[in-house]
Amino acid sequence: MLNSSSTTPSTAGRRAATKGVVVAGIAVALGLLLAGCTDSAPDPKPTPTATEPAEAGITDIQDTPGSGEGLEGALADAEVKTCELAGDHWEVAGSVTNSSDADASYRIYVSLLTEGGDTRSLTQVDVDPIAAGAIADWETTVAVEDEALDCVLRVERYAS
């Protein structure tokens, strides 16, 4: 005996087929609607405000970062006190404190970066050996005229 809520195989097949036709019809209608919307759209054109890519940055280094023998990372030892555009160049200055137990020299790489993280300059500053616990000032100028750059340091310490 069949329950009134049950269906015969032929009824279930007809419902599935009808459902498939309805879904296919909706898909075709949406496709035509979208095609109609995109056919009348104008072809994309470059905007008149598009800018040329920035010129290549300046690299003024003698030693490849990380290439020194016996180096220790020492970012916490360095401080930037000045990082500002002064006319046609950037003036960057700071200090370094030898936190080790022995005399050490420092190699400081100053990067000037755009807000998007593009490097506009990479400059090396060498600090002669200083005594343990001593502080030395360092400075550099970079011939880049870009505005709104960030100063980012990489600091390497070498035992003397």
Side-chain angles (χ1 to χ4, degrees):
M1 174 158 141
L2 286 177
N3 186 335
S4 63
S5 64
S6 63
T7 59
T8 62
S10 62
T11 304
R14 281 192 301 247
R15 284 186 185 162
T18 302
K19 193 177 199 180
V21 170
V22 171
V23 170
I26 292 172
V28 168
L30 283 174
L32 291 173
L33 179 65
L34 291 175
C37 290
T38 56
D39 286 345
S40 62
D43 291 332
K45 304 228 184 307
T47 60
T49 58
T51 59
E52 294 297 317
E55 64 183 69
I58 295 172
T59 302
D60 184 16
I61 61 172
Q62 296 77 42
D63 304 289
T64 303
S67 66
E69 194 171 315
L71 79 89
E72 290 182 54
L75 182 59
D77 290 2
E79 176 184 7
V80 175
K81 294 181 179 178
T82 304
C83 178
E84 60 191 17
L85 181 61
D88 64 348
H89 66 278
W90 280 79
E91 293 180 356
V92 185
S95 64
V96 63
T97 303
N98 183 354
S99 65
S100 71
D101 295 331
D103 291 358
S105 59
Y106 286 82
R107 189 178 295 160
I108 300 170
Y109 295 95
V110 178
S111 296
L112 294 177
L113 305 178
T114 66
E115 185 178 306
D118 293 329
T119 302
R120 296 297 299 130
S121 171
L122 176 61
T123 304
Q124 178 178 330
V125 179
D126 293 325
V127 177
D128 291 332
I130 57 176
I135 299 172
D137 291 327
W138 58 268
E139 64 181 29
T140 189
T141 59
V142 183
V144 171
E145 296 181 39
D146 296 20
E147 295 181 10
L149 296 176
D150 292 318
C151 292
V152 177
L153 303 181
R154 174 188 170 98
V155 182
E156 300 175 353
R157 180 177 55 224
Y158 297 88
S160 295

